[in-house]
Amino acid sequence: MGLPVLSAIFRSRVVCERGIVALLNCPKHTKARVSLFSHSAGRCAQTCQALIYRKHGDPSGVVELEDVPVHQTGAKEVLVKLLASPINPSDINMIQGTYSILPDLPAVGGNEGVAQVLEVGSQVKSLKAGDWVIPRDAGLGTWRTEAVLAEDDVISVPNDIPLLSAATLGVNPCTAIRMLSDFEDLKPGDSVIQNAANSGVGQAVIQIAAARGINTINVIRDRPDFTQLSDRLKAIGASHVIKEESLRRPEMKELFKTCSKPKLALNGVGGKSATELLRHLQVGGSMVTYGGMSKQPVTVPVSALIFKDVKVRGFWVTQWKKDHSHGKAMLDELCSLIQQGKLTAPACTEVRIQDYKKALDAAMQPFSSRKQILIM
């Protein structure tokens, strides 16, 4: 194919709005890392598809699938093809404008996913074409088909692990393993209690705990398919699965005849559910809050503080990664569990990026126990 023909093809895909110069997906008050719009001399910008929101609000009303430019790969950059990206609660909260960090607008949605390297810049040392990579941190905008990213903004993962495991590796499993490792010295035979046990974090907690010989008491809301969900959680390693209402009933005493009182409680709900978790902690145990799906405050009884000396902590994986050089050793441990078959992706529904409205709607439904994965 001659150069005139190639030039014509490139020109046909150029976005000519020179007034739009920086569609950035990096949180406010942090250094800008990724620009989707570039006007570098010597090569016209090719386009990719991206899910963009230009204002905050209901995702179904503000997110649109658009063509955006992909600029020339720089010396310390890589061109990647996004393969799969989940829709997480934090992604929804960012679009709604309620999350603690927000990207500048307009922005590309998505903070997690897996991509394949297509091209590397002349000074890139750690990556090569064909490698699989995931974002080191939030803010890259993963709901798009291609991107040019800085080498330092991604981290390689094995390309022999399942696609959905790689796509969902960077947030929920990292949160789970850190909470199981950093707050109490848990030994085989110890117990952990958690609410939101069917969430992505909850399912990762079950599996990592099981691999370490730790019992899990898993609390979920009552629902029509409770038995099926309970069976599914037990199949991945849950020791006990109970309804929220059971936390306040005498049957808990029976449970603790065969299972030690938990040293650690993991709270992703808040409100009354969190208070009930506290009631069952060992003396001196810890409750770690990582989410608040009920949007209700955590209430700590005075008696729990005085007579049980419980510790009430919080955890945010984004901050942990910033404080610990993004956790390569942690990712290696998680990938090893995946390769051994001890850690699988949560129940997922794969949706083409073109059908994003269906995926967003499903992700916001109550009692959903399946993660929506955008396939690019």
Side-chain angles (χ1 to χ4, degrees), residues 10 18 22 43 100 113 141 156 164 168 213 219 228 238 255 271 312 326-327:
F10 285 140
R18 289 194 175 268
R43 172 182 163 188
S100 60
S156 64
L164 297 184
T168 57
V219 184
Q228 295 95 313
L255 187 153
V312 182
H326 308 287

Side-chain angles (χ1 to χ4, degrees), residues 20-27 30-37 53 102-108 139-141 144:
I20 305 175
V21 294
L23 179 54
L24 298 174
N25 247 55
C26 40
T30 64
K31 183 180 178 181
R33 296 169 305 193
V34 184
S35 174
L36 294 183
F37 293 89
Y53 57 103
L102 298 174
D104 296 329
L105 299 179
V108 177
L140 287 188
R144 48 178 159 171

Side-chain angles (χ1 to χ4, degrees), residues 92-282:
I92 299 295
N93 294 154
M94 278 189 173
I95 296 168
Q96 293 168 332
T98 59
Y99 201 59
S100 60
I101 56 172
L102 298 174
D104 296 329
L105 299 179
V108 177
N111 292 286
E112 187 182 29
V114 62
Q116 184 176 42
V117 176
L118 300 180
E119 176 182 301
V120 300
S122 60
Q123 296 181 29
V124 171
K125 304 298 183 185
S126 63
L127 299 169
K128 64 183 183 302
D131 284 350
W132 279 14
V133 294
I134 64 173
R136 283 186 182 270
D137 205 350
L140 287 188
T142 53
W143 295 352
R144 48 178 159 171
T145 55
E146 290 186 7
V148 173
L149 306 172
E151 177 185 12
D152 291 341
D153 284 340
V154 294
I155 187 167
S156 64
V157 296
N159 59 11
D160 62 349
I161 62 176
L163 177 67
L164 297 184
S165 293
T168 57
L169 177 62
V171 177
N172 293 332
C174 294
T175 298
I177 198 169
R178 292 272 52 91
M179 293 194 299
L180 289 170
S181 303
D182 296 349
F183 295 93
E184 291 289 339
D185 183 18
L186 297 173
K187 304 283 197 243
D190 286 340
S191 298
V192 173
I193 190 169
Q194 65 167 340
N195 55 26
N198 59 308
S199 67
V201 171
Q203 293 179 59
V205 165
I206 289 169
Q207 296 177 84
I208 297 168
R212 296 179 174 186
I214 298 166
N215 298 312
T216 54
I217 304 165
N218 301 280
V219 184
I220 58 177
R221 292 178 293 178
D222 196 9
R223 64 194 69 208
D225 64 342
F226 175 85
T227 301
Q228 295 95 313
L229 178 55
S230 174
D231 290 344
R232 181 154 58 82
L233 295 179
K234 289 179 179 178
I236 63 172
S239 309
H240 306 276
V241 181
I242 61 176
K243 300 174 183 177
E244 288 271 5
E245 295 77 15
S246 299
L247 289 171
R248 295 179 285 278
R249 292 177 180 166
E251 60 198 71
M252 291 301 292
K253 291 183 180 179
E254 293 300 313
L255 187 153
F256 289 129
K257 289 180 180 179
T258 59
C259 177
S260 62
K261 280 247 183 180
K263 285 184 177 180
L264 179 67
L266 304 178
N267 168 44
V269 177
K272 292 181 179 179
S273 178
T275 305
E276 293 300 327
L277 293 185
L278 276 171
R279 291 181 59 239
H280 298 293
L281 273 179
Q282 283 187 19

Side-chain angles (χ1 to χ4, degrees), residues 39 53 55-56 79 184 220 241-242 284 292-293 313 327 336 366:
H39 306 288
Y53 57 103
K55 62 181 180 179
H56 295 299
L79 171 66
E184 291 289 339
I220 58 177
V241 181
I242 61 176
M293 288 188 287
R313 303 287 301 276
S336 176

Side-chain angles (χ1 to χ4, degrees), residues 227-371:
T227 301
Q228 295 95 313
L229 178 55
S230 174
D231 290 344
R232 181 154 58 82
L233 295 179
K234 289 179 179 178
I236 63 172
S239 309
H240 306 276
V241 181
I242 61 176
K243 300 174 183 177
E244 288 271 5
E245 295 77 15
S246 299
L247 289 171
R248 295 179 285 278
R249 292 177 180 166
E251 60 198 71
M252 291 301 292
K253 291 183 180 179
E254 293 300 313
L255 187 153
F256 289 129
K257 289 180 180 179
T258 59
C259 177
S260 62
K261 280 247 183 180
K263 285 184 177 180
L264 179 67
L266 304 178
N267 168 44
V269 177
K272 292 181 179 179
S273 178
T275 305
E276 293 300 327
L277 293 185
L278 276 171
R279 291 181 59 239
H280 298 293
L281 273 179
Q282 283 187 19
V283 172
S286 297
M287 182 176 78
V288 181
T289 293
Y290 67 92
M293 288 188 287
S294 72
K295 302 188 186 304
Q296 298 298 314
V298 173
T299 302
V300 182
V302 172
S303 60
L305 295 172
I306 295 175
F307 303 119
K308 295 181 70 174
D309 191 26
V310 298
K311 300 180 285 290
V312 182
R313 303 287 301 276
F315 181 77
W316 185 30
V317 72
T318 299
Q319 188 62 51
W320 188 93
K321 288 180 179 179
K322 289 179 180 177
D323 293 342
H324 294 83
S325 300
H326 308 287
K328 174 61 174 166
M330 172 182 64
L331 289 175
D332 289 344
E333 182 178 356
L334 289 170
C335 288
S336 176
L337 288 173
I338 293 170
Q339 290 166 329
Q340 295 173 57
K342 296 180 179 180
L343 178 62
T344 60
C348 296
T349 298
E350 299 177 40
V351 182
R352 295 187 315 147
I353 191 172
Q354 292 81 5
D355 298 323
Y356 69 95
K357 288 185 181 291
K358 179 173 69 174
L360 287 171
D361 182 64
M364 298 180 68
Q365 295 304 310
F367 299 105
S368 175
S369 58
R370 298 186 68 85
K371 187 172 289 292

